[in-house]
Amino acid sequence: ENLKMETRLLISILLMICFTVTNAFSQQKGQFEITSTSQEIFGNELSSLYKDVIEQNENISLEIQIPEKYNPDNPPGLMVYISPQNQINIPRGWLDLMETENLIWVAARESGNKTFTTKRILLTLAGLQHIQDNYVTNKNRVYVSGLSGGGRIASMVATQYPQFFKGAIYNCGVNFWNDVSEEQLNLIKENRFVFLTGTDDFNLNDTKQVYSKYKKANVKNINLMIIPRMGHTNPKKNRFAKAISYLDQN
């Protein structure tokens, strides 16, 4: 229990840093990959606090797409994605959608379902930290999404830190929150969430149950999308676009 509390405190500190540090903004656009380390991304002091989870010199690989129309005067939103596999395997058309919707895309490699939960959360924050350090973003359009076990991690991040993640899309995997404070719950109620599943998804009933728990908790900005004949997979571009459109209705 003490470890859980220490981990939660640490992640809270990291998120505070994510949204207060401002470095020289990058001008690189398009699709690219970067390899960095925990120490380079979070700094020596912070990275040393969780070196048992991610070693300070351990490589962190991020897949990134910055809209070609990126303009700090019209800052894009941010979609942080969590894969169930160590490779990202971006669905066809999704990166085109990020361009259309003026969203930055970032996802960490080596963050699949076999990776420890705390490390997956920290890798998610590494992507967030890197983008916040290098680009101006619309803080009201910072979203998180993931597939299967990645969706479950997304649901943990979105509800533990609702002051930073304003919306989430849970693709065929979602957990209900644990131990949220009244303040956190009030912020969760201000945000927007899409529960996306298919009629042939083995997590269909589980997703519906968690959706019902959100509803019973009086979270009103929730949308359950059940796609006919879709199994345990990410949705096609047009369905994901509808989910993003729902998040943008702020």
Side-chain angles (χ1 to χ4, degrees):
E1 190 64 31
N2 288 336
L3 179 60
K4 289 182 179 179
M5 291 179 65
E6 290 172 4
T7 300
R8 185 172 300 171
L9 177 60
L10 171 59
I11 294 172
S12 297
I13 293 172
L14 291 176
L15 280 167
M16 289 175 65
I17 296 298
C18 282
F19 284 80
T20 56
V21 173
T22 302
N23 294 336
F25 291 115
S26 172
Q27 295 300 312
Q28 186 172 4
K29 300 177 184 178
Q31 186 177 0
F32 57 93
E33 302 168 12
I34 68 111
T35 299
S36 188
T37 65
S38 172
Q39 186 174 28
E40 290 172 340
I41 292 175
F42 294 121
N44 183 63
E45 183 176 356
L46 286 175
S47 62
S48 68
L49 295 176
Y50 54 90
K51 60 185 178 182
D52 290 340
V53 180
I54 301 180
E55 294 182 8
Q56 288 181 284
N57 62 351
E58 180 179 341
N59 283 342
I60 295 175
S61 296
L62 302 174
E63 294 188 13
I64 298 168
Q65 176 169 294
I66 307 299
E68 293 292 345
K69 61 184 177 183
Y70 170 76
N71 182 349
D73 294 328
N74 180 31
L78 172 61
M79 179 68 72
V80 184
Y81 179 76
I82 306 158
S83 174
Q85 301 169 324
N86 285 338
Q87 298 299 314
I88 308 303
N89 298 320
I90 305 169
R92 181 184 302 176
W94 275 27
L95 291 183
D96 292 338
L97 181 62
M98 296 300 106
E99 186 76 35
T100 301
E101 298 294 332
N102 195 26
L103 285 166
I104 291 175
W105 167 278
V106 62
R109 290 182 175 177
E110 302 300 325
S111 184
N113 288 347
K114 293 183 179 180
T115 304
F116 287 118
T117 295
T118 303
K119 184 173 183 178
R120 297 180 82 185
I121 292 172
L122 289 171
L123 289 171
T124 301
L125 297 180
L128 177 63
Q129 176 74 75
H130 177 80
I131 297 301
Q132 296 293 347
D133 272 358
N134 291 282
Y135 296 91
V136 179
T137 58
N138 182 344
K139 300 301 189 295
N140 291 320
R141 296 185 72 220
V142 176
Y143 305 142
V144 62
S145 183
L147 169 65
S148 188
R152 296 184 186 278
I153 297 296
S155 65
M156 296 177 193
V157 171
T159 54
Q160 283 297 321
Y161 310 103
Q163 65 270 50
F164 303 120
F165 294 93
K166 301 301 182 181
I169 303 172
Y170 308 137
N171 300 323
C172 301
V174 58
N175 290 353
F176 191 63
W177 61 72
N178 290 317
D179 302 324
V180 300
S181 66
E182 182 177 354
E183 180 181 4
Q184 286 173 309
L185 181 56
N186 288 335
L187 289 171
I188 289 170
K189 291 177 180 179
E190 294 178 3
N191 295 339
R192 305 182 73 83
F193 307 92
V194 176
F195 298 73
L196 201 153
T197 182
T199 56
D200 297 334
D201 175 23
F202 58 77
N203 273 343
L204 171 61
N205 288 333
D206 182 61
T207 299
K208 291 167 67 176
Q209 289 172 4
V210 179
Y211 169 82
S212 295
K213 289 182 179 180
Y214 270 62
K215 197 171 184 179
K216 289 179 181 178
N218 204 29
V219 180
K220 299 185 181 301
N221 299 320
I222 54 176
N223 184 22
L224 176 63
M225 295 178 61
I226 302 176
I227 300 174
R229 297 180 298 280
M230 190 184 88
H232 192 72
T233 186
N234 271 315
K236 293 182 178 180
K237 173 183 174 181
N238 64 326
R239 301 286 189 173
F240 199 54
K242 289 182 179 179
I244 293 171
S245 178
Y246 183 82
L247 298 187
D248 282 339
Q249 293 174 21
N250 286 323

